[in-house]
Coordinates of all heavy atoms in Angstrom, one line a residue:
K35 N -7.0 11.9 8.0 CA -7.8 11.7 6.9 C -7.4 10.4 6.2 O -8.5 9.7 5.8 CB -7.3 12.8 5.8 CG -8.3 12.9 4.5 CD -9.7 13.5 5.0 CE -10.6 13.7 3.8 NZ -11.9 13.9 4.1
L36 N -6.2 10.0 6.2 CA -5.9 8.5 5.7 C -6.7 7.5 6.3 O -7.3 6.5 5.8 CB -4.4 8.4 5.9 CG -4.0 7.0 5.4 CD1 -4.1 6.8 3.9 CD2 -2.5 6.7 5.8
V37 N -6.8 7.6 7.8 CA -7.4 6.4 8.4 C -9.0 6.5 8.3 O -9.6 5.5 8.7 CB -7.0 6.3 10.0 CG1 -5.5 6.3 10.1 CG2 -7.5 7.6 10.6
E38 N -9.6 7.4 7.6 CA -11.0 7.3 7.3 C -11.2 6.5 6.0 O -12.4 6.2 5.7 CB -11.4 8.8 6.9 CG -11.4 9.8 8.1 CD -11.7 11.3 7.7 OE1 -12.1 11.5 6.5 OE2 -11.7 12.0 8.6
H39 N -10.2 6.1 5.4 CA -10.3 5.3 4.3 C -9.8 3.8 4.3 O -9.0 3.7 5.3 CB -9.5 5.9 3.1 CG -10.0 7.2 2.7 ND1 -11.1 7.6 2.0 CD2 -9.4 8.5 3.2 CE1 -11.3 8.9 2.0 NE2 -10.1 9.5 2.6
S40 N -10.2 3.0 3.6 CA -9.9 1.6 3.7 C -8.4 1.5 3.3 O -8.0 2.1 2.6 CB -10.7 0.7 2.6 OG -10.4 -0.7 2.8
P41 N -7.7 0.5 3.8 CA -8.1 -0.5 4.9 C -7.9 0.1 6.4 O -8.3 -0.5 7.3 CB -7.1 -1.7 4.7 CG -5.9 -1.0 4.3 CD -6.2 0.2 3.4
W42 N -7.5 1.3 6.5 CA -7.2 1.9 7.9 C -8.5 2.0 8.6 O -8.5 1.9 9.8 CB -6.4 3.2 7.7 CG -5.2 3.2 6.9 CD1 -5.0 3.5 5.7 CD2 -4.0 2.7 7.4 NE1 -3.8 3.3 5.3 CE2 -3.1 2.7 6.3 CE3 -3.5 2.1 8.5 CZ2 -1.8 2.3 6.5 CZ3 -2.4 1.8 8.8 CH2 -1.4 1.9 7.7
N43 N -9.6 2.3 7.9 CA -11.0 2.7 8.6 C -11.3 1.4 9.4 O -12.0 1.5 10.4 CB -12.0 3.1 7.8 CG -12.3 2.2 6.6 OD1 -11.7 1.2 6.4 ND2 -13.4 2.4 5.9
N44 N -11.0 0.2 9.0 CA -11.3 -1.1 9.7 C -10.6 -1.0 11.2 O -11.1 -1.8 12.0 CB -10.9 -2.3 8.9 CG -11.7 -2.3 7.6 OD1 -12.9 -2.0 7.6 ND2 -11.0 -2.8 6.6
L45 N -9.6 -0.4 11.3 CA -8.8 -0.3 12.7 C -9.2 0.9 13.5 O -8.7 0.8 14.7 CB -7.3 -0.2 12.3 CG -6.8 -1.4 11.4 CD1 -5.3 -1.1 11.1 CD2 -6.9 -2.8 12.2
Q46 N -10.0 1.8 13.0 CA -10.3 2.8 13.8 C -10.9 2.5 15.1 O -10.8 3.2 16.2 CB -11.3 3.9 13.2 CG -10.5 4.8 12.2 CD -11.4 5.9 11.8 OE1 -12.6 5.6 11.2 NE2 -11.0 7.1 11.7
K47 N -11.7 1.5 15.2 CA -12.4 1.1 16.5 C -11.5 0.7 17.5 O -11.6 0.7 18.7 CB -13.4 -0.1 16.3 CG -12.6 -1.3 15.8 CD -13.9 -2.5 15.4 CE -13.0 -3.5 14.6 NZ -14.0 -4.5 14.1
Y48 N -10.2 0.4 17.1 CA -9.0 0.1 18.0 C -8.3 1.4 18.5 O -7.5 1.2 19.5 CB -8.2 -0.9 17.5 CG -8.7 -2.2 17.2 CD1 -8.8 -2.5 15.8 CD2 -9.3 -3.1 18.0 CE1 -9.5 -3.8 15.3 CE2 -9.9 -4.3 17.7 CZ -10.0 -4.6 16.4 OH -10.6 -5.8 16.0
M49 N -8.5 2.4 17.7 CA -7.6 3.6 18.1 C -8.2 4.4 19.1 O -8.7 5.5 19.0 CB -7.5 4.4 16.8 CG -6.7 3.7 15.7 SD -6.4 4.7 14.3 CE -5.2 3.6 13.3
M50 N -8.2 3.9 20.5 CA -8.8 4.6 21.5 C -8.0 4.1 22.7 O -7.3 3.1 22.6 CB -10.3 4.3 21.7 CG -10.6 2.9 21.9 SD -12.2 2.4 22.1 CE -12.7 2.4 20.3
P51 N -7.9 4.9 23.8 CA -7.2 4.5 25.1 C -7.8 3.1 25.5 O -9.1 2.8 25.6 CB -7.4 5.5 26.0 CG -7.8 6.6 25.3 CD -8.6 6.2 24.0
N52 N -6.9 2.1 25.9 CA -7.3 0.9 26.5 C -8.5 0.0 25.9 O -9.4 -0.3 26.6 CB -7.7 1.3 28.1 CG -6.6 2.0 28.8 OD1 -5.4 1.6 28.6 ND2 -7.0 3.0 29.5
P53 N -8.4 -0.2 24.6 CA -9.4 -1.0 24.0 C -9.1 -2.5 24.6 O -8.0 -2.8 25.0 CB -9.1 -1.0 22.5 CG -7.6 -0.7 22.4 CD -7.3 0.1 23.5
T54 N -10.2 -3.3 24.6 CA -10.0 -4.7 25.1 C -9.1 -5.5 24.2 O -8.2 -6.3 24.8 CB -11.5 -5.3 25.2 OG1 -12.0 -5.3 23.8 CG2 -12.3 -4.7 26.1
K55 N -9.2 -5.4 22.9 CA -8.2 -6.2 22.2 C -7.8 -5.2 21.0 O -8.7 -4.7 20.3 CB -8.9 -7.5 21.5 CG -8.0 -8.3 20.6 CD -8.6 -9.4 20.1 CE -7.6 -10.1 19.1 NZ -8.2 -10.8 18.1
S56 N -6.8 -5.0 20.8 CA -6.2 -4.1 19.8 C -5.0 -4.5 19.1 O -3.9 -4.7 19.6 CB -6.1 -2.7 20.5 OG -5.5 -1.8 19.5
P57 N -5.0 -4.4 17.7 CA -3.8 -4.4 16.9 C -3.1 -3.1 16.8 O -2.0 -3.1 16.2 CB -4.2 -5.0 15.6 CG -5.6 -4.3 15.4 CD -6.2 -4.4 16.9
V58 N -3.7 -2.2 17.3 CA -3.0 -0.8 17.2 C -2.6 -0.3 18.7 O -3.1 -0.6 19.8 CB -4.1 0.3 16.8 CG1 -3.6 1.6 16.7 CG2 -4.7 -0.2 15.4
N59 N -1.3 0.3 18.7 CA -0.8 0.7 19.9 C -1.1 2.2 20.2 O -0.4 3.1 19.7 CB 0.8 0.6 19.9 CG 1.2 -0.9 20.0 OD1 0.5 -1.7 20.3 ND2 2.4 -1.2 19.6
T60 N -2.2 2.4 20.8 CA -2.5 3.8 21.3 C -1.5 4.1 22.4 O -1.4 3.4 23.4 CB -3.9 4.0 21.7 OG1 -4.7 3.9 20.5 CG2 -4.1 5.5 22.2
R61 N -0.6 5.2 22.3 CA 0.3 5.5 23.3 C -0.3 6.7 24.1 O -0.6 7.6 23.6 CB 1.6 5.8 22.7 CG 2.5 4.6 22.2 CD 3.7 5.1 21.5 NE 4.6 4.2 21.2 CZ 5.8 3.9 22.0 NH1 6.0 4.6 22.9 NH2 6.4 2.8 21.6
H62 N -0.1 6.7 25.4 CA -0.6 7.7 26.2 C 0.6 8.3 26.8 O 1.3 7.6 27.8 CB -1.6 7.1 27.3 CG -2.2 8.4 28.2 ND1 -3.1 9.1 27.7 CD2 -2.0 8.6 29.4 CE1 -3.5 10.0 28.6 NE2 -2.9 9.7 29.7
I63 N 1.0 9.5 26.3 CA 2.2 10.1 26.9 C 2.0 11.5 27.2 O 1.5 12.3 26.4 CB 3.3 10.0 25.7 CG1 3.6 8.6 25.3 CG2 4.6 10.8 26.2 CD1 4.4 8.5 24.1
G64 N 2.3 11.8 28.4 CA 2.1 13.3 28.8 C 0.7 13.8 28.9 O 0.4 14.9 28.6
G65 N -0.3 12.9 29.1 CA -1.7 13.2 28.9 C -2.2 13.4 27.7 O -3.4 13.8 27.5
I66 N -1.5 12.9 26.6 CA -2.0 13.0 25.2 C -2.0 11.5 24.6 O -1.1 10.7 24.9 CB -1.1 13.9 24.4 CG1 -1.0 15.3 25.1 CG2 -1.5 14.0 23.0 CD1 0.0 16.1 24.4
D67 N -3.0 11.2 23.8 CA -3.1 10.0 23.2 C -2.5 10.1 21.7 O -2.8 11.1 21.0 CB -4.5 9.5 23.1 CG -5.0 9.1 24.4 OD1 -4.3 8.5 25.2 OD2 -6.2 9.3 24.7
F68 N -1.5 9.3 21.4 CA -0.9 9.2 20.0 C -1.3 7.8 19.4 O -1.1 6.9 20.0 CB 0.6 9.3 20.1 CG 1.1 10.7 20.6 CD1 1.3 10.9 22.0 CD2 1.2 11.7 19.8 CE1 1.6 12.2 22.5 CE2 1.6 13.0 20.2 CZ 1.9 13.3 21.6
N69 N -1.7 7.9 18.3 CA -2.1 6.7 17.3 C -1.2 6.6 16.2 O -1.3 7.2 15.2 CB -3.5 6.9 16.7 CG -4.5 6.5 18.0 OD1 -4.4 5.8 18.9 ND2 -5.9 6.9 17.5
P70 N -0.2 5.8 16.4 CA 0.6 5.4 15.1 C -0.1 4.5 14.3 O -0.8 3.6 14.7 CB 1.9 4.8 15.8 CG 1.4 4.2 17.1 CD 0.3 5.1 17.6
I71 N 0.2 4.7 13.0 CA -0.6 3.8 12.0 C 0.3 2.6 11.6 O -0.2 1.7 11.1 CB -1.2 4.5 10.9 CG1 -0.2 5.2 9.9 CG2 -2.2 5.6 11.4 CD1 -0.7 5.8 8.8
I72 N 1.6 2.6 11.7 CA 2.5 1.6 11.4 C 3.1 1.2 12.7 O 3.8 1.9 13.3 CB 3.6 2.0 10.4 CG1 2.8 2.5 9.0 CG2 4.5 0.9 10.1 CD1 3.7 3.0 8.0
T73 N 2.6 0.0 13.0 CA 3.1 -0.6 14.5 C 3.7 -1.9 14.3 O 3.2 -2.7 13.4 CB 1.9 -0.5 15.5 OG1 0.9 -1.5 15.0 CG2 1.2 0.9 15.5

Side-chain angles (χ1 to χ4, degrees):
K35 188 73 175 170
L36 176 71
V37 300
E38 293 174 4
H39 302 283
S40 181
W42 304 101
N43 61 347
N44 296 324
L45 300 173
Q46 275 191 313
K47 61 186 171 191
Y48 301 113
M49 293 181 172
M50 64 185 76
N52 306 315
T54 53
K55 180 184 177 212
S56 175
V58 178
N59 292 337
T60 296
R61 289 175 167 255
H62 188 72
I63 302 168
I66 302 167
D67 291 324
F68 293 90
N69 280 342
I71 64 171
I72 297 176
T73 69

